[in-house]
Amino acid sequence: MNNDFYTNLHARLKTNTSWPSVYMFKFILPNDNRKMALLRQIFEQDSRFFEKTSNKGNYISVTVKIVMLNPDEVISRYRQVAEIEGVMML
């Protein structure tokens, strides 16, 4: 993701959401235990993970719900997840 994406997302989050708020992150990643472990490390224990494996079992759709205090926290998490190879952010 480029900086324009994060700047636009930050502006939308700031104007369209009251903070703190429960934020829902959505990702698709290869069905790989290491990548899932890296994703889980980014979010605190207070987050709720929902996972669904694709029909062929090659990918996992992950939804993470967590209370975020402000748009900066959301952007920070997206930047961390972007470093995991093969993860698609929705």
Side-chain angles (χ1 to χ4, degrees), residues 6-19:
Y6 293 118
T7 301
N8 292 334
L9 177 60
H10 188 277
R12 282 183 297 181
L13 291 172
K14 192 172 181 179
T15 58
N16 296 332
T17 307
S18 349
W19 300 96

Side-chain angles (χ1 to χ4, degrees), residues 1 36 39 46 85:
M1 300 285 166
M36 181 57 84
L39 184 66
D46 292 340
E85 186 179 340

Side-chain angles (χ1 to χ4, degrees), residues 17-33:
T17 307
S18 349
W19 300 96
S21 181
V22 174
Y23 190 80
M24 184 169 57
F25 294 87
K26 291 184 152 274
F27 309 104
I28 296 175
L29 60 150
N31 192 354
D32 177 306
N33 289 336

Side-chain angles (χ1 to χ4, degrees), residues 4 21 30 34-36 67 90:
D4 287 341
S21 181
R34 182 180 167 282
K35 291 180 195 273
M36 181 57 84
V67 174
L90 306 176

Side-chain angles (χ1 to χ4, degrees), residues 13-68:
L13 291 172
K14 192 172 181 179
T15 58
N16 296 332
T17 307
S18 349
W19 300 96
S21 181
V22 174
Y23 190 80
M24 184 169 57
F25 294 87
K26 291 184 152 274
F27 309 104
I28 296 175
L29 60 150
N31 192 354
D32 177 306
N33 289 336
R34 182 180 167 282
K35 291 180 195 273
M36 181 57 84
L38 291 171
L39 184 66
R40 285 185 175 275
Q41 285 180 342
I42 293 170
F43 296 93
E44 288 94 24
Q45 295 176 350
D46 292 340
S47 60
R48 295 181 59 202
F49 271 75
F50 303 91
E51 303 170 20
K52 182 178 179 186
T53 305
S54 66
N55 289 340
K56 293 184 180 180
N58 296 329
Y59 294 94
I60 300 175
S61 169
V62 179
T63 301
V64 182
K65 290 185 178 182
I66 185 170
V67 174
M68 296 274 95

Side-chain angles (χ1 to χ4, degrees), residues 75-89:
I75 300 300
S76 174
R77 298 298 167 87
Y78 275 122
R79 286 185 185 274
Q80 291 174 55
V81 171
E83 293 181 19
I84 303 172
E85 186 179 340
V87 175
M88 292 178 272
M89 296 183 280

